[in-house]
Amino acid sequence: MQALGLIETRGLLPAIECADVMLKTAQVELVSRAFVGGGLVTLSVTGDVGAVKAAVEAGASAVAKLNPLLLVSQHVIPRPHQEIAGIIGPNPAEKQALPMLQQEKVNLLPSFDQTTTKKEIDQVVQEFGLEQCVDALKSLPVLKLRNLAREYKGLAIAGRAISKANKDDLIQQLKRYYDQKQE
């Protein structure tokens, strides 16, 4: 890894704007994006030191233009230690060769948040499949999963059982619901 640039934003929209500006500004490659929690999104880019510095400055400027409060932090590490790559994401050279359409789908897989509804989950299951949906459900807190479970008709649990269910139980119930629906 030549240089590593990091920008953390509040919200996905400023992160998308930031990534777009960084990739258009300099010869850098987007290494990863991470949903840290609490609405924070961290973007990582790599490339030559000068290119990464220019990209991070441009990305931070773009976010600040939207709203200065949306930019949490920015940082450039000129020559990160090789073990840092394991924390950030896969080495670009080691990425699996995916057809372009599949690659776009992987990158566009939505993450669920506190406002997610049953209808949105239905769409994600239909578009991306049950396993990827289950992985995304794991990011939700148990309270949100309980509220979601109350939106479903035909779950094996209801009422107080939902209120007492833990995260794994709720995810398993939702998984069974979609398994039965697909049959």
Side-chain angles (χ1 to χ4, degrees):
M1 191 178 297
Q2 301 165 355
L4 178 65
L6 304 157
I7 293 185
E8 191 164 70
T9 66
R10 283 187 174 81
L12 184 59
L13 179 106
I16 292 170
E17 174 68 16
C18 178
D20 182 56
V21 169
M22 285 195 299
L23 294 171
K24 288 178 179 175
T25 299
Q27 188 65 35
V28 294
E29 183 176 344
L30 186 63
V31 178
S32 70
R33 59 106 178 94
F35 298 106
V36 181
L40 297 178
V41 181
T42 301
L43 299 170
S44 308
V45 295
T46 187
D48 292 334
V49 176
V52 170
K53 283 182 179 180
V56 168
E57 287 176 19
S61 261
V63 173
K65 273 186 187 176
L66 290 174
N67 183 339
L69 299 175
L70 296 176
L71 180 64
V72 177
S73 62
Q74 67 189 65
H75 188 63
V76 175
I77 303 173
R79 288 181 316 265
H81 190 275
Q82 61 188 11
E83 291 184 21
I84 297 293
I87 295 171
I88 301 300
N91 182 343
E94 296 172 359
K95 286 183 182 176
Q96 292 179 351
L98 295 175
M100 195 57 158
L101 182 59
Q102 277 185 320
Q103 211 167 19
E104 286 176 15
K105 270 194 168 184
V106 169
N107 292 339
L108 296 177
L109 179 64
S111 61
F112 297 137
D113 60 20
Q114 296 294 328
T115 62
T116 301
T117 64
K118 177 189 180 296
K119 184 178 178 182
E120 292 169 335
I121 292 174
D122 290 344
Q123 290 172 342
V124 170
V125 168
Q126 184 177 7
E127 188 173 344
F128 297 99
L130 182 56
E131 290 307 315
Q132 290 187 4
C133 182
V134 167
D135 288 342
L137 285 170
K138 290 177 183 176
S139 69
L140 291 176
V142 69
L143 182 61
K144 176 58 184 172
L145 287 169
R146 288 175 180 156
N147 290 335
L148 271 172
R150 290 183 180 96
E151 293 182 39
Y152 286 80
K153 306 289 186 240
L155 283 184
I157 60 172
R160 289 187 183 218
I162 289 176
S163 298
K164 294 179 181 181
N166 66 29
K167 190 175 196 172
D168 292 333
D169 292 338
L170 292 166
I171 290 173
Q172 285 303 317
Q173 290 297 324
L174 293 171
K175 188 174 188 276
R176 282 188 201 126
Y177 172 86
Y178 285 106
D179 281 335
Q180 291 172 354
K181 193 174 177 182
Q182 289 175 352
E183 290 175 358

